[in-house]
Amino acid sequence: MLDQQKLTPALIRSLEVFIAVAETGQMRAGAKLLNLTQPAASQHILALEKAFDTALLDRGTRPARLTHAGARLLGKAQKILDAISDMETELRHIGEKSLSLLRVGLQASIATTLTPSLIDLAQQTFGVEDITLYAGQSGNHEHLLRTKRADLAITSNPFLDMDGLERHHVLTEKYLLVLPGSYNGPTDKLDAIQANLPLVRFGDTTNAGRQIAQHLRRLRFEPRKVILADRSSMVTSCVSAGQGFSMLTPTLLIDGMVENMNLQLKELPVSGLSRTLTVVARKAELRDLPRAFAIRSSQELIKQIRAQMGSMAEANVTLS
């Protein structure tokens, strides 16, 4: 079986695809995580099944489930990829240059703001030669970290259930009330606002969307109409067009404000809703780089918030 197969680059890639499909439970979702088409992901799974002469997925169920052989392979495949990643990490730290490659997952809402500064920091201070950046949601970052396809992530989920990680606080920010620039109705109660506008928020597939939905349930607020999106730019563009109101943090608003969207910001008329951004990295692998990334990220985000939104938004951000 597995120990009789040559560990070729093609086999390693197929194992990565298999793990992604197994963890997401869907061929389409697994393919999306790895930027593949669904047919390409299916070909990788079929190649594994041919190589090991056994079915790995029970395709008679929806979603497809792992067979007994598939479940056995999942554990072994993860150990193989972990060992390869550990070997790469160890070799990167041998010689004069401590880091030749750095792979970073970035929260999509802050990726544009942080990318130039973080690349400069990595290259100039830590001598990093090659950098790979992944923008996405916290769910994407979790997969990248678990499969060791990313060295660190700047994310809204600290992944406290994952062992072997170090975490560095970037900032904590309160949600703000976001209204169309032309809106002149009441702003002191959510019920009063929704009498004029529907709620526009992140979908439940995102960490922010789940957080907002849970908080609104605790408040017993039931939106009459909801528009869901999975990118902050989509949320802000709907609000700017007068199609609804939203609840967003200052960093979630940066891209929309940079594009001069017609928005007005006010204090949210409900309390207790905030999010925290954290640098998460595998423990002791990157020396001082994760902490330096957290400090630089705090500085750059505060600078943009101050420039685009002013003191009201900045007052809703805590750095420590």
Side-chain angles (χ1 to χ4, degrees), residues 5-49:
Q5 297 295 327
K6 293 182 179 179
L7 202 59
T8 63
L11 178 58
I12 293 172
R13 184 56 170 168
S14 292
L15 291 175
E16 290 177 339
V17 174
F18 173 69
I19 290 173
V21 171
E23 288 187 343
T24 60
Q26 295 182 335
M27 192 72 69
R28 183 187 300 274
K32 185 177 180 181
L33 278 177
L34 300 179
N35 294 318
L36 295 174
T37 63
Q38 185 172 340
S42 296
Q43 287 301 312
H44 279 287
I45 302 300
L46 290 172
L48 284 177
E49 292 179 325

Short mmCIF file of all heavy atoms in Angstrom, two decimals, residues 5-49:
data_model
loop_
_atom_site.label_atom_id
_atom_site.label_comp_id
_atom_site.label_asym_id
_atom_site.label_seq_id
_atom_site.Cartn_x
_atom_site.Cartn_y
_atom_site.Cartn_z
N GLN A 5 4.58 2.77 -2.38
CA GLN A 5 4.49 3.81 -3.38
C GLN A 5 5.68 4.76 -3.25
O GLN A 5 6.13 5.09 -2.15
CB GLN A 5 3.19 4.61 -3.23
CG GLN A 5 1.93 3.79 -3.44
CD GLN A 5 1.81 3.28 -4.86
OE1 GLN A 5 2.24 3.95 -5.80
NE2 GLN A 5 1.25 2.10 -5.02
N LYS A 6 6.19 5.20 -4.39
CA LYS A 6 7.27 6.18 -4.38
C LYS A 6 6.69 7.55 -4.05
O LYS A 6 5.66 7.96 -4.61
CB LYS A 6 7.97 6.22 -5.73
CG LYS A 6 8.73 4.93 -6.05
CD LYS A 6 9.44 5.04 -7.39
CE LYS A 6 10.23 3.77 -7.68
NZ LYS A 6 10.92 3.84 -8.99
N LEU A 7 7.35 8.26 -3.15
CA LEU A 7 6.84 9.56 -2.71
C LEU A 7 7.25 10.64 -3.72
O LEU A 7 8.17 11.42 -3.49
CB LEU A 7 7.37 9.89 -1.32
CG LEU A 7 6.56 10.92 -0.51
CD1 LEU A 7 5.13 10.44 -0.33
CD2 LEU A 7 7.21 11.13 0.85
N THR A 8 6.58 10.65 -4.85
CA THR A 8 6.86 11.60 -5.91
C THR A 8 6.14 12.92 -5.63
O THR A 8 5.17 12.96 -4.85
CB THR A 8 6.39 11.05 -7.26
OG1 THR A 8 4.96 10.88 -7.21
CG2 THR A 8 7.05 9.71 -7.56
N PRO A 9 6.56 14.02 -6.28
CA PRO A 9 5.82 15.28 -6.14
C PRO A 9 4.34 15.14 -6.51
O PRO A 9 3.48 15.76 -5.89
CB PRO A 9 6.56 16.23 -7.10
CG PRO A 9 7.96 15.69 -7.13
CD PRO A 9 7.81 14.20 -7.05
N ALA A 10 4.06 14.32 -7.52
CA ALA A 10 2.66 14.12 -7.93
C ALA A 10 1.86 13.43 -6.82
O ALA A 10 0.71 13.79 -6.55
CB ALA A 10 2.60 13.29 -9.21
N LEU A 11 2.48 12.45 -6.17
CA LEU A 11 1.79 11.76 -5.07
C LEU A 11 1.58 12.70 -3.89
O LEU A 11 0.51 12.70 -3.26
CB LEU A 11 2.59 10.54 -4.64
CG LEU A 11 2.01 9.75 -3.45
CD1 LEU A 11 0.60 9.26 -3.77
CD2 LEU A 11 2.92 8.58 -3.08
N ILE A 12 2.58 13.51 -3.58
CA ILE A 12 2.45 14.47 -2.48
C ILE A 12 1.30 15.44 -2.75
O ILE A 12 0.49 15.73 -1.87
CB ILE A 12 3.77 15.24 -2.28
CG1 ILE A 12 4.86 14.28 -1.77
CG2 ILE A 12 3.58 16.40 -1.29
CD1 ILE A 12 6.24 14.90 -1.73
N ARG A 13 1.22 15.92 -4.00
CA ARG A 13 0.14 16.85 -4.35
C ARG A 13 -1.22 16.16 -4.22
O ARG A 13 -2.19 16.74 -3.71
CB ARG A 13 0.33 17.37 -5.76
CG ARG A 13 -0.71 18.41 -6.20
CD ARG A 13 -0.74 19.57 -5.24
NE ARG A 13 -1.55 20.68 -5.75
CZ ARG A 13 -1.92 21.72 -5.02
NH1 ARG A 13 -1.57 21.79 -3.73
NH2 ARG A 13 -2.65 22.68 -5.54
N SER A 14 -1.30 14.91 -4.66
CA SER A 14 -2.56 14.18 -4.55
C SER A 14 -2.95 13.98 -3.10
O SER A 14 -4.14 14.06 -2.75
CB SER A 14 -2.45 12.83 -5.26
OG SER A 14 -2.31 13.00 -6.66
N LEU A 15 -1.98 13.75 -2.23
CA LEU A 15 -2.27 13.62 -0.80
C LEU A 15 -2.79 14.94 -0.23
O LEU A 15 -3.70 14.95 0.61
CB LEU A 15 -1.02 13.17 -0.04
CG LEU A 15 -0.55 11.74 -0.32
CD1 LEU A 15 0.77 11.46 0.40
CD2 LEU A 15 -1.59 10.71 0.07
N GLU A 16 -2.22 16.07 -0.67
CA GLU A 16 -2.71 17.37 -0.22
C GLU A 16 -4.16 17.56 -0.63
O GLU A 16 -4.98 18.05 0.16
CB GLU A 16 -1.85 18.49 -0.82
CG GLU A 16 -0.44 18.58 -0.27
CD GLU A 16 0.38 19.65 -0.95
OE1 GLU A 16 0.04 20.05 -2.07
OE2 GLU A 16 1.38 20.09 -0.35
N VAL A 17 -4.49 17.19 -1.86
CA VAL A 17 -5.87 17.31 -2.34
C VAL A 17 -6.79 16.40 -1.54
O VAL A 17 -7.89 16.80 -1.13
CB VAL A 17 -5.94 16.98 -3.84
CG1 VAL A 17 -7.40 16.97 -4.31
CG2 VAL A 17 -5.13 17.97 -4.66
N PHE A 18 -6.35 15.18 -1.29
CA PHE A 18 -7.16 14.23 -0.53
C PHE A 18 -7.47 14.77 0.87
O PHE A 18 -8.61 14.69 1.34
CB PHE A 18 -6.43 12.89 -0.43
CG PHE A 18 -7.11 11.89 0.47
CD1 PHE A 18 -8.31 11.32 0.11
CD2 PHE A 18 -6.55 11.55 1.69
CE1 PHE A 18 -8.96 10.41 0.94
CE2 PHE A 18 -7.18 10.65 2.53
CZ PHE A 18 -8.39 10.08 2.16
N ILE A 19 -6.47 15.34 1.54
CA ILE A 19 -6.69 15.89 2.88
C ILE A 19 -7.69 17.05 2.82
O ILE A 19 -8.58 17.16 3.66
CB ILE A 19 -5.35 16.36 3.49
CG1 ILE A 19 -4.48 15.15 3.83
CG2 ILE A 19 -5.59 17.19 4.75
CD1 ILE A 19 -3.08 15.51 4.28
N ALA A 20 -7.55 17.92 1.82
CA ALA A 20 -8.46 19.06 1.69
C ALA A 20 -9.90 18.58 1.47
O ALA A 20 -10.84 19.11 2.07
CB ALA A 20 -8.02 19.97 0.54
N VAL A 21 -10.08 17.58 0.62
CA VAL A 21 -11.42 17.05 0.35
C VAL A 21 -11.98 16.37 1.61
O VAL A 21 -13.15 16.55 1.97
CB VAL A 21 -11.38 16.07 -0.83
CG1 VAL A 21 -12.72 15.34 -0.97
CG2 VAL A 21 -11.05 16.81 -2.12
N ALA A 22 -11.13 15.61 2.30
CA ALA A 22 -11.58 14.91 3.50
C ALA A 22 -11.97 15.89 4.59
O ALA A 22 -12.97 15.69 5.30
CB ALA A 22 -10.47 13.98 4.01
N GLU A 23 -11.22 16.98 4.76
CA GLU A 23 -11.50 17.94 5.83
C GLU A 23 -12.73 18.79 5.54
O GLU A 23 -13.47 19.14 6.45
CB GLU A 23 -10.29 18.84 6.06
CG GLU A 23 -9.12 18.12 6.73
CD GLU A 23 -8.00 19.06 7.11
OE1 GLU A 23 -7.97 20.19 6.59
OE2 GLU A 23 -7.15 18.67 7.93
N THR A 24 -12.95 19.12 4.28
CA THR A 24 -14.11 19.95 3.93
C THR A 24 -15.36 19.11 3.70
O THR A 24 -16.48 19.62 3.81
CB THR A 24 -13.84 20.77 2.66
OG1 THR A 24 -13.57 19.88 1.56
CG2 THR A 24 -12.65 21.71 2.86
N GLY A 25 -15.18 17.82 3.37
CA GLY A 25 -16.31 16.95 3.12
C GLY A 25 -16.91 17.08 1.74
O GLY A 25 -17.90 16.43 1.43
N GLN A 26 -16.27 17.91 0.89
CA GLN A 26 -16.81 18.12 -0.45
C GLN A 26 -15.67 18.26 -1.44
O GLN A 26 -14.66 18.90 -1.15
CB GLN A 26 -17.68 19.38 -0.51
CG GLN A 26 -18.96 19.30 0.32
CD GLN A 26 -19.78 20.57 0.17
OE1 GLN A 26 -19.26 21.63 -0.14
NE2 GLN A 26 -21.08 20.45 0.39
N MET A 27 -15.85 17.69 -2.62
CA MET A 27 -14.84 17.80 -3.67
C MET A 27 -14.68 19.25 -4.11
O MET A 27 -13.56 19.75 -4.27
CB MET A 27 -15.23 16.92 -4.86
CG MET A 27 -14.12 16.73 -5.88
SD MET A 27 -12.81 15.64 -5.28
CE MET A 27 -13.70 14.06 -5.26
N ARG A 28 -15.80 19.95 -4.27
CA ARG A 28 -15.75 21.33 -4.73
C ARG A 28 -15.04 22.23 -3.71
O ARG A 28 -14.19 23.04 -4.06
CB ARG A 28 -17.16 21.85 -4.99
CG ARG A 28 -17.19 23.28 -5.56
CD ARG A 28 -18.64 23.78 -5.63
NE ARG A 28 -19.44 22.93 -6.48
CZ ARG A 28 -19.53 23.07 -7.79
NH1 ARG A 28 -18.83 24.01 -8.41
NH2 ARG A 28 -20.30 22.26 -8.50
N ALA A 29 -15.40 22.07 -2.42
CA ALA A 29 -14.80 22.91 -1.38
C ALA A 29 -13.32 22.60 -1.22
O ALA A 29 -12.51 23.51 -1.04
CB ALA A 29 -15.53 22.69 -0.06
N GLY A 30 -12.96 21.32 -1.29
CA GLY A 30 -11.55 20.96 -1.18
C GLY A 30 -10.74 21.52 -2.33
O GLY A 30 -9.61 22.01 -2.14
N ALA A 31 -11.30 21.45 -3.53
CA ALA A 31 -10.62 22.01 -4.70
C ALA A 31 -10.43 23.51 -4.56
O ALA A 31 -9.36 24.05 -4.88
CB ALA A 31 -11.42 21.69 -5.96
N LYS A 32 -11.45 24.20 -4.05
CA LYS A 32 -11.38 25.65 -3.90
C LYS A 32 -10.28 26.06 -2.94
O LYS A 32 -9.58 27.05 -3.16
CB LYS A 32 -12.73 26.19 -3.42
CG LYS A 32 -12.79 27.71 -3.35
CD LYS A 32 -14.18 28.17 -2.92
CE LYS A 32 -14.25 29.70 -2.84
NZ LYS A 32 -15.60 30.16 -2.40
N LEU A 33 -10.09 25.29 -1.86
CA LEU A 33 -9.05 25.60 -0.90
C LEU A 33 -7.67 25.60 -1.54
O LEU A 33 -6.78 26.35 -1.13
CB LEU A 33 -9.07 24.60 0.26
CG LEU A 33 -10.07 24.83 1.38
CD1 LEU A 33 -9.99 23.69 2.39
CD2 LEU A 33 -9.81 26.16 2.08
N LEU A 34 -7.49 24.75 -2.53
CA LEU A 34 -6.17 24.60 -3.17
C LEU A 34 -6.11 25.29 -4.53
O LEU A 34 -5.17 25.07 -5.29
CB LEU A 34 -5.85 23.12 -3.31
CG LEU A 34 -5.78 22.31 -2.01
CD1 LEU A 34 -5.47 20.86 -2.31
CD2 LEU A 34 -4.75 22.90 -1.07
N ASN A 35 -7.12 26.11 -4.82
CA ASN A 35 -7.17 26.83 -6.10
C ASN A 35 -7.15 25.88 -7.29
O ASN A 35 -6.48 26.13 -8.30
CB ASN A 35 -6.03 27.84 -6.19
CG ASN A 35 -6.14 28.95 -5.19
OD1 ASN A 35 -7.23 29.48 -4.97
ND2 ASN A 35 -5.04 29.32 -4.57
N LEU A 36 -7.89 24.79 -7.17
CA LEU A 36 -8.02 23.82 -8.26
C LEU A 36 -9.46 23.80 -8.76
O LEU A 36 -10.38 24.22 -8.07
CB LEU A 36 -7.66 22.42 -7.78
CG LEU A 36 -6.22 22.14 -7.34
CD1 LEU A 36 -6.11 20.73 -6.76
CD2 LEU A 36 -5.25 22.30 -8.50
N THR A 37 -9.65 23.28 -9.95
CA THR A 37 -11.01 23.02 -10.42
C THR A 37 -11.49 21.70 -9.81
O THR A 37 -10.68 20.86 -9.40
CB THR A 37 -11.04 22.90 -11.95
OG1 THR A 37 -10.25 21.77 -12.35
CG2 THR A 37 -10.50 24.17 -12.60
N GLN A 38 -12.80 21.53 -9.76
CA GLN A 38 -13.34 20.28 -9.21
C GLN A 38 -12.89 19.07 -10.03
O GLN A 38 -12.50 18.04 -9.45
CB GLN A 38 -14.86 20.35 -9.15
CG GLN A 38 -15.49 19.12 -8.48
CD GLN A 38 -16.98 19.29 -8.25
OE1 GLN A 38 -17.49 20.40 -8.23
NE2 GLN A 38 -17.67 18.18 -8.09
N PRO A 39 -12.89 19.13 -11.37
CA PRO A 39 -12.40 17.97 -12.14
C PRO A 39 -10.93 17.64 -11.84
O PRO A 39 -10.56 16.46 -11.77
CB PRO A 39 -12.58 18.41 -13.59
CG PRO A 39 -13.70 19.39 -13.55
CD PRO A 39 -13.50 20.14 -12.26
N ALA A 40 -10.11 18.68 -11.64
CA ALA A 40 -8.69 18.43 -11.33
C ALA A 40 -8.56 17.73 -9.99
O ALA A 40 -7.75 16.80 -9.84
CB ALA A 40 -7.92 19.74 -11.33
N ALA A 41 -9.34 18.17 -8.99
CA ALA A 41 -9.30 17.52 -7.67
C ALA A 41 -9.77 16.07 -7.78
O ALA A 41 -9.18 15.17 -7.17
CB ALA A 41 -10.17 18.29 -6.68
N SER A 42 -10.81 15.83 -8.57
CA SER A 42 -11.31 14.46 -8.77
C SER A 42 -10.24 13.58 -9.38
O SER A 42 -10.10 12.40 -9.01
CB SER A 42 -12.55 14.48 -9.67
OG SER A 42 -13.61 15.18 -9.06
N GLN A 43 -9.46 14.11 -10.31
CA GLN A 43 -8.40 13.33 -10.94
C GLN A 43 -7.33 12.94 -9.93
O GLN A 43 -6.79 11.83 -9.98
CB GLN A 43 -7.77 14.12 -12.09
CG GLN A 43 -8.66 14.23 -13.33
CD GLN A 43 -9.02 12.86 -13.90
OE1 GLN A 43 -8.15 12.00 -14.07
NE2 GLN A 43 -10.29 12.65 -14.19
N HIS A 44 -7.02 13.84 -8.99
CA HIS A 44 -6.05 13.51 -7.95
C HIS A 44 -6.55 12.37 -7.07
O HIS A 44 -5.79 11.46 -6.71
CB HIS A 44 -5.75 14.75 -7.10
CG HIS A 44 -4.76 15.68 -7.71
ND1 HIS A 44 -3.42 15.40 -7.79
CD2 HIS A 44 -4.92 16.92 -8.27
CE1 HIS A 44 -2.79 16.41 -8.36
NE2 HIS A 44 -3.67 17.34 -8.67
N ILE A 45 -7.83 12.41 -6.71
CA ILE A 45 -8.39 11.35 -5.87
C ILE A 45 -8.40 10.03 -6.62
O ILE A 45 -8.05 8.98 -6.08
CB ILE A 45 -9.81 11.72 -5.40
CG1 ILE A 45 -9.82 13.05 -4.63
CG2 ILE A 45 -10.39 10.60 -4.54
CD1 ILE A 45 -8.95 13.06 -3.39
N LEU A 46 -8.79 10.08 -7.90
CA LEU A 46 -8.80 8.87 -8.71
C LEU A 46 -7.40 8.29 -8.86
O LEU A 46 -7.21 7.07 -8.87
CB LEU A 46 -9.41 9.16 -10.09
CG LEU A 46 -10.92 9.44 -10.11
CD1 LEU A 46 -11.35 9.91 -11.50
CD2 LEU A 46 -11.69 8.18 -9.71
N ALA A 47 -6.40 9.17 -8.98
CA ALA A 47 -5.01 8.71 -9.10
C ALA A 47 -4.57 7.98 -7.83
O ALA A 47 -3.87 6.96 -7.90
CB ALA A 47 -4.09 9.90 -9.37
N LEU A 48 -4.98 8.48 -6.67
CA LEU A 48 -4.66 7.81 -5.41
C LEU A 48 -5.35 6.45 -5.33
O LEU A 48 -4.75 5.45 -4.91
CB LEU A 48 -5.09 8.68 -4.22
CG LEU A 48 -4.22 9.89 -3.88
CD1 LEU A 48 -4.85 10.67 -2.73
CD2 LEU A 48 -2.80 9.48 -3.53
N GLU A 49 -6.61 6.42 -5.71
CA GLU A 49 -7.35 5.16 -5.65
C GLU A 49 -6.74 4.13 -6.61
O GLU A 49 -6.69 2.93 -6.28
CB GLU A 49 -8.82 5.42 -5.98
CG GLU A 49 -9.54 6.24 -4.91
CD GLU A 49 -10.99 6.51 -5.23
OE1 GLU A 49 -11.31 6.69 -6.43
OE2 GLU A 49 -11.81 6.54 -4.29
#
